[in-house]
Amino acid sequence: MLQADADVEAPGQIRLHAIELFILHLSSKESESFDPFGEHYPVFMRIKADKGNGWGEIFLNEGHRPADWVVWASWYERFLHRSFQSQASLQEDILRSVDPLHLSRAQLLCDALQGAGQAEDRSSITGKGGSGPLFRLAEAYVSLF
């Protein structure tokens, strides 16, 4: 069997090159629709993959907010710079490594993977300046590359 050069990706392969997390904070006043659950934290993820960029989003309430966002985000490092045969095999690997503490992280990554390579308009989140406006609004930012 022939093996492709390390720099050349096979047609179905996917590789994650970078993950960015933007964590915003919505106080009880700002998130009236979620009111009985207290403070909320929308978490936006942007992935950079060889198939394109993707965005994901989840909401965490105060009870599920980690004390340290960098430690929380370090779970994603296991998926960076590895070649997967397809997006399905990457998602399968994500699901194999999930325990109840990682469900929200897995959901966020799978959501971002669904958008990778699609020309999805996230201008309502990022504004016309890319992720700059989101970066300025973020309470915390984590970049893994």
Side-chain angles (χ1 to χ4, degrees), residues 7 17 34 36 56 58 65 74 77 87 89 92 94-96 99 101-102 106 120 132 138 140:
D7 292 338
H17 300 287
F34 303 112
I58 60 169
R65 180 181 72 94
S74 68
E77 291 176 343
Q87 185 169 319
S89 67
E92 187 178 306
I94 293 167
L95 294 176
R96 259 197 313 264
D99 66 36
L101 296 175
H102 301 135
E120 190 173 336

PDB file of all heavy atoms in Angstrom, residues 7 17 34 36 56 58 65 74 77 87 89 92 94-96 99 101-102 106 120 132 138 140:
ATOM      1  N   ASP A   7       3.192  15.709   4.521  1.00  0.00           N
ATOM      2  CA  ASP A   7       2.641  17.053   4.333  1.00  0.00           C
ATOM      3  C   ASP A   7       1.391  17.058   3.457  1.00  0.00           C
ATOM      4  O   ASP A   7       0.700  18.053   3.361  1.00  0.00           O
ATOM      5  CB  ASP A   7       3.682  17.979   3.698  1.00  0.00           C
ATOM      6  CG  ASP A   7       4.833  18.264   4.643  1.00  0.00           C
ATOM      7  OD1 ASP A   7       4.628  18.110   5.869  1.00  0.00           O
ATOM      8  OD2 ASP A   7       5.920  18.630   4.174  1.00  0.00           O
ATOM      9  N   HIS A  17      -5.701  22.395  13.567  1.00  0.00           N
ATOM     10  CA  HIS A  17      -4.463  23.152  13.724  1.00  0.00           C
ATOM     11  C   HIS A  17      -4.522  24.129  14.889  1.00  0.00           C
ATOM     12  O   HIS A  17      -3.481  24.443  15.479  1.00  0.00           O
ATOM     13  CB  HIS A  17      -4.142  23.920  12.439  1.00  0.00           C
ATOM     14  CG  HIS A  17      -3.971  23.019  11.257  1.00  0.00           C
ATOM     15  ND1 HIS A  17      -2.878  22.214  11.079  1.00  0.00           N
ATOM     16  CD2 HIS A  17      -4.786  22.763  10.206  1.00  0.00           C
ATOM     17  CE1 HIS A  17      -3.006  21.520   9.965  1.00  0.00           C
ATOM     18  NE2 HIS A  17      -4.164  21.834   9.408  1.00  0.00           N
ATOM     19  N   PHE A  34     -32.857  33.127  30.978  1.00  0.00           N
ATOM     20  CA  PHE A  34     -32.299  32.023  31.745  1.00  0.00           C
ATOM     21  C   PHE A  34     -32.429  32.266  33.253  1.00  0.00           C
ATOM     22  O   PHE A  34     -31.855  31.534  34.041  1.00  0.00           O
ATOM     23  CB  PHE A  34     -30.794  31.868  31.468  1.00  0.00           C
ATOM     24  CG  PHE A  34     -30.442  31.667  30.034  1.00  0.00           C
ATOM     25  CD1 PHE A  34     -29.754  32.640  29.331  1.00  0.00           C
ATOM     26  CD2 PHE A  34     -30.768  30.497  29.383  1.00  0.00           C
ATOM     27  CE1 PHE A  34     -29.395  32.448  28.014  1.00  0.00           C
ATOM     28  CE2 PHE A  34     -30.413  30.296  28.063  1.00  0.00           C
ATOM     29  CZ  PHE A  34     -29.733  31.269  27.388  1.00  0.00           C
ATOM     30  N   PRO A  36     -33.851  31.867  36.282  1.00  0.00           N
ATOM     31  CA  PRO A  36     -33.775  31.068  37.509  1.00  0.00           C
ATOM     32  C   PRO A  36     -32.438  30.345  37.679  1.00  0.00           C
ATOM     33  O   PRO A  36     -32.116  29.870  38.746  1.00  0.00           O
ATOM     34  CB  PRO A  36     -34.913  30.065  37.375  1.00  0.00           C
ATOM     35  CG  PRO A  36     -35.371  30.120  35.977  1.00  0.00           C
ATOM     36  CD  PRO A  36     -34.877  31.397  35.385  1.00  0.00           C
ATOM     37  N   GLY A  56     -18.449  26.938  17.075  1.00  0.00           N
ATOM     38  CA  GLY A  56     -19.378  26.248  17.953  1.00  0.00           C
ATOM     39  C   GLY A  56     -19.738  27.162  19.108  1.00  0.00           C
ATOM     40  O   GLY A  56     -19.032  28.141  19.387  1.00  0.00           O
ATOM     41  N   ILE A  58     -21.770  27.042  23.169  1.00  0.00           N
ATOM     42  CA  ILE A  58     -22.547  26.444  24.250  1.00  0.00           C
ATOM     43  C   ILE A  58     -22.764  27.510  25.321  1.00  0.00           C
ATOM     44  O   ILE A  58     -22.069  28.527  25.343  1.00  0.00           O
ATOM     45  CB  ILE A  58     -21.872  25.202  24.889  1.00  0.00           C
ATOM     46  CG1 ILE A  58     -20.512  25.564  25.489  1.00  0.00           C
ATOM     47  CG2 ILE A  58     -21.798  24.041  23.923  1.00  0.00           C
ATOM     48  CD1 ILE A  58     -19.914  24.481  26.356  1.00  0.00           C
ATOM     49  N   ARG A  65     -19.576  26.492  35.462  1.00  0.00           N
ATOM     50  CA  ARG A  65     -18.416  27.301  35.054  1.00  0.00           C
ATOM     51  C   ARG A  65     -17.170  26.766  35.760  1.00  0.00           C
ATOM     52  O   ARG A  65     -17.149  26.607  36.962  1.00  0.00           O
ATOM     53  CB  ARG A  65     -18.629  28.758  35.441  1.00  0.00           C
ATOM     54  CG  ARG A  65     -17.479  29.664  35.046  1.00  0.00           C
ATOM     55  CD  ARG A  65     -17.743  31.080  35.488  1.00  0.00           C
ATOM     56  NE  ARG A  65     -17.632  31.243  36.905  1.00  0.00           N
ATOM     57  CZ  ARG A  65     -16.522  31.634  37.536  1.00  0.00           C
ATOM     58  NH1 ARG A  65     -15.426  31.885  36.863  1.00  0.00           N
ATOM     59  NH2 ARG A  65     -16.514  31.768  38.845  1.00  0.00           N
ATOM     60  N   SER A  74      -7.712  22.588  28.302  1.00  0.00           N
ATOM     61  CA  SER A  74      -6.593  21.681  28.011  1.00  0.00           C
ATOM     62  C   SER A  74      -7.076  20.305  27.550  1.00  0.00           C
ATOM     63  O   SER A  74      -6.319  19.568  26.914  1.00  0.00           O
ATOM     64  CB  SER A  74      -5.676  21.553  29.228  1.00  0.00           C
ATOM     65  OG  SER A  74      -6.338  20.878  30.283  1.00  0.00           O
ATOM     66  N   GLU A  77      -6.462  19.576  23.822  1.00  0.00           N
ATOM     67  CA  GLU A  77      -5.124  19.377  23.278  1.00  0.00           C
ATOM     68  C   GLU A  77      -4.937  17.994  22.668  1.00  0.00           C
ATOM     69  O   GLU A  77      -4.167  17.826  21.733  1.00  0.00           O
ATOM     70  CB  GLU A  77      -4.068  19.624  24.354  1.00  0.00           C
ATOM     71  CG  GLU A  77      -3.973  21.075  24.749  1.00  0.00           C
ATOM     72  CD  GLU A  77      -2.996  21.325  25.877  1.00  0.00           C
ATOM     73  OE1 GLU A  77      -2.613  20.362  26.590  1.00  0.00           O
ATOM     74  OE2 GLU A  77      -2.607  22.489  26.049  1.00  0.00           O
ATOM     75  N   GLN A  87     -13.952  13.309   9.349  1.00  0.00           N
ATOM     76  CA  GLN A  87     -14.600  14.042  10.441  1.00  0.00           C
ATOM     77  C   GLN A  87     -15.332  13.056  11.352  1.00  0.00           C
ATOM     78  O   GLN A  87     -15.342  13.213  12.564  1.00  0.00           O
ATOM     79  CB  GLN A  87     -15.570  15.076   9.880  1.00  0.00           C
ATOM     80  CG  GLN A  87     -16.190  15.953  10.944  1.00  0.00           C
ATOM     81  CD  GLN A  87     -16.934  17.122  10.339  1.00  0.00           C
ATOM     82  OE1 GLN A  87     -16.472  17.727   9.380  1.00  0.00           O
ATOM     83  NE2 GLN A  87     -18.065  17.448  10.895  1.00  0.00           N
ATOM     84  N   SER A  89     -14.443   9.971  12.042  1.00  0.00           N
ATOM     85  CA  SER A  89     -13.491   9.279  12.918  1.00  0.00           C
ATOM     86  C   SER A  89     -13.001  10.201  14.030  1.00  0.00           C
ATOM     87  O   SER A  89     -12.759   9.752  15.150  1.00  0.00           O
ATOM     88  CB  SER A  89     -12.321   8.703  12.124  1.00  0.00           C
ATOM     89  OG  SER A  89     -11.519   9.717  11.571  1.00  0.00           O
ATOM     90  N   GLU A  92     -15.800  10.260  16.507  1.00  0.00           N
ATOM     91  CA  GLU A  92     -15.799   8.986  17.219  1.00  0.00           C
ATOM     92  C   GLU A  92     -14.735   8.986  18.318  1.00  0.00           C
ATOM     93  O   GLU A  92     -14.978   8.532  19.438  1.00  0.00           O
ATOM     94  CB  GLU A  92     -15.530   7.853  16.225  1.00  0.00           C
ATOM     95  CG  GLU A  92     -15.661   6.476  16.805  1.00  0.00           C
ATOM     96  CD  GLU A  92     -15.436   5.424  15.734  1.00  0.00           C
ATOM     97  OE1 GLU A  92     -16.118   5.482  14.691  1.00  0.00           O
ATOM     98  OE2 GLU A  92     -14.568   4.558  15.951  1.00  0.00           O
ATOM     99  N   ILE A  94     -13.574  11.655  19.819  1.00  0.00           N
ATOM    100  CA  ILE A  94     -14.064  12.584  20.841  1.00  0.00           C
ATOM    101  C   ILE A  94     -15.024  11.854  21.773  1.00  0.00           C
ATOM    102  O   ILE A  94     -14.895  11.922  22.999  1.00  0.00           O
ATOM    103  CB  ILE A  94     -14.768  13.801  20.197  1.00  0.00           C
ATOM    104  CG1 ILE A  94     -13.768  14.661  19.442  1.00  0.00           C
ATOM    105  CG2 ILE A  94     -15.508  14.627  21.244  1.00  0.00           C
ATOM    106  CD1 ILE A  94     -14.395  15.694  18.522  1.00  0.00           C
ATOM    107  N   LEU A  95     -15.969  11.149  21.200  1.00  0.00           N
ATOM    108  CA  LEU A  95     -16.973  10.456  22.015  1.00  0.00           C
ATOM    109  C   LEU A  95     -16.372   9.333  22.853  1.00  0.00           C
ATOM    110  O   LEU A  95     -16.825   9.074  23.969  1.00  0.00           O
ATOM    111  CB  LEU A  95     -18.096   9.932  21.126  1.00  0.00           C
ATOM    112  CG  LEU A  95     -18.927  11.021  20.448  1.00  0.00           C
ATOM    113  CD1 LEU A  95     -19.939  10.408  19.506  1.00  0.00           C
ATOM    114  CD2 LEU A  95     -19.596  11.927  21.468  1.00  0.00           C
ATOM    115  N   ARG A  96     -15.330   8.676  22.345  1.00  0.00           N
ATOM    116  CA  ARG A  96     -14.663   7.627  23.122  1.00  0.00           C
ATOM    117  C   ARG A  96     -13.971   8.191  24.353  1.00  0.00           C
ATOM    118  O   ARG A  96     -13.813   7.508  25.359  1.00  0.00           O
ATOM    119  CB  ARG A  96     -13.633   6.904  22.258  1.00  0.00           C
ATOM    120  CG  ARG A  96     -14.084   5.574  21.737  1.00  0.00           C
ATOM    121  CD  ARG A  96     -12.921   4.746  21.246  1.00  0.00           C
ATOM    122  NE  ARG A  96     -11.990   5.463  20.389  1.00  0.00           N
ATOM    123  CZ  ARG A  96     -12.018   5.444  19.065  1.00  0.00           C
ATOM    124  NH1 ARG A  96     -12.930   4.750  18.425  1.00  0.00           N
ATOM    125  NH2 ARG A  96     -11.129   6.104  18.364  1.00  0.00           N
ATOM    126  N   ASP A  99     -16.200  11.558  29.341  1.00  0.00           N
ATOM    127  CA  ASP A  99     -16.847  11.118  30.565  1.00  0.00           C
ATOM    128  C   ASP A  99     -17.805  12.251  30.947  1.00  0.00           C
ATOM    129  O   ASP A  99     -17.804  13.294  30.308  1.00  0.00           O
ATOM    130  CB  ASP A  99     -15.833  10.770  31.666  1.00  0.00           C
ATOM    131  CG  ASP A  99     -15.041  11.962  32.175  1.00  0.00           C
ATOM    132  OD1 ASP A  99     -15.598  13.072  32.272  1.00  0.00           O
ATOM    133  OD2 ASP A  99     -13.862  11.789  32.511  1.00  0.00           O
ATOM    134  N   LEU A 101     -17.865  14.619  32.898  1.00  0.00           N
ATOM    135  CA  LEU A 101     -17.279  15.944  33.098  1.00  0.00           C
ATOM    136  C   LEU A 101     -16.934  16.640  31.787  1.00  0.00           C
ATOM    137  O   LEU A 101     -16.744  17.846  31.748  1.00  0.00           O
ATOM    138  CB  LEU A 101     -16.017  15.839  33.955  1.00  0.00           C
ATOM    139  CG  LEU A 101     -16.227  15.343  35.381  1.00  0.00           C
ATOM    140  CD1 LEU A 101     -14.885  15.158  36.072  1.00  0.00           C
ATOM    141  CD2 LEU A 101     -17.112  16.303  36.153  1.00  0.00           C
ATOM    142  N   HIS A 102     -16.832  15.877  30.703  1.00  0.00           N
ATOM    143  CA  HIS A 102     -16.422  16.441  29.424  1.00  0.00           C
ATOM    144  C   HIS A 102     -17.558  16.614  28.434  1.00  0.00           C
ATOM    145  O   HIS A 102     -17.310  16.998  27.289  1.00  0.00           O
ATOM    146  CB  HIS A 102     -15.347  15.561  28.784  1.00  0.00           C
ATOM    147  CG  HIS A 102     -14.132  15.391  29.614  1.00  0.00           C
ATOM    148  ND1 HIS A 102     -13.527  14.186  29.794  1.00  0.00           N
ATOM    149  CD2 HIS A 102     -13.413  16.275  30.347  1.00  0.00           C
ATOM    150  CE1 HIS A 102     -12.486  14.322  30.577  1.00  0.00           C
ATOM    151  NE2 HIS A 102     -12.399  15.582  30.928  1.00  0.00           N
ATOM    152  N   ALA A 106     -17.188  18.252  24.683  1.00  0.00           N
ATOM    153  CA  ALA A 106     -17.370  17.434  23.480  1.00  0.00           C
ATOM    154  C   ALA A 106     -18.451  18.030  22.586  1.00  0.00           C
ATOM    155  O   ALA A 106     -18.294  18.095  21.362  1.00  0.00           O
ATOM    156  CB  ALA A 106     -17.731  16.004  23.870  1.00  0.00           C
ATOM    157  N   GLU A 120     -20.164  29.535   6.718  1.00  0.00           N
ATOM    158  CA  GLU A 120     -21.194  29.953   7.662  1.00  0.00           C
ATOM    159  C   GLU A 120     -20.958  31.401   8.078  1.00  0.00           C
ATOM    160  O   GLU A 120     -19.842  31.781   8.413  1.00  0.00           O
ATOM    161  CB  GLU A 120     -21.137  29.045   8.890  1.00  0.00           C
ATOM    162  CG  GLU A 120     -22.291  29.234   9.825  1.00  0.00           C
ATOM    163  CD  GLU A 120     -22.277  28.199  10.940  1.00  0.00           C
ATOM    164  OE1 GLU A 120     -21.699  27.133  10.767  1.00  0.00           O
ATOM    165  OE2 GLU A 120     -22.850  28.510  11.987  1.00  0.00           O
ATOM    166  N   GLY A 132     -12.167  39.913  16.327  1.00  0.00           N
ATOM    167  CA  GLY A 132     -11.768  41.060  17.147  1.00  0.00           C
ATOM    168  C   GLY A 132     -12.851  41.571  18.080  1.00  0.00           C
ATOM    169  O   GLY A 132     -12.610  41.727  19.280  1.00  0.00           O
ATOM    170  N   ALA A 138     -14.958  39.399  25.406  1.00  0.00           N
ATOM    171  CA  ALA A 138     -14.711  38.187  26.179  1.00  0.00           C
ATOM    172  C   ALA A 138     -14.169  38.475  27.571  1.00  0.00           C
ATOM    173  O   ALA A 138     -13.329  39.342  27.757  1.00  0.00           O
ATOM    174  CB  ALA A 138     -13.752  37.280  25.431  1.00  0.00           C
ATOM    175  N   ALA A 140     -12.822  35.876  29.166  1.00  0.00           N
ATOM    176  CA  ALA A 140     -11.630  35.028  29.109  1.00  0.00           C
ATOM    177  C   ALA A 140     -11.433  34.567  27.670  1.00  0.00           C
ATOM    178  O   ALA A 140     -12.392  34.467  26.900  1.00  0.00           O
ATOM    179  CB  ALA A 140     -11.805  33.816  30.032  1.00  0.00           C
TER     180      ALA A 140
END
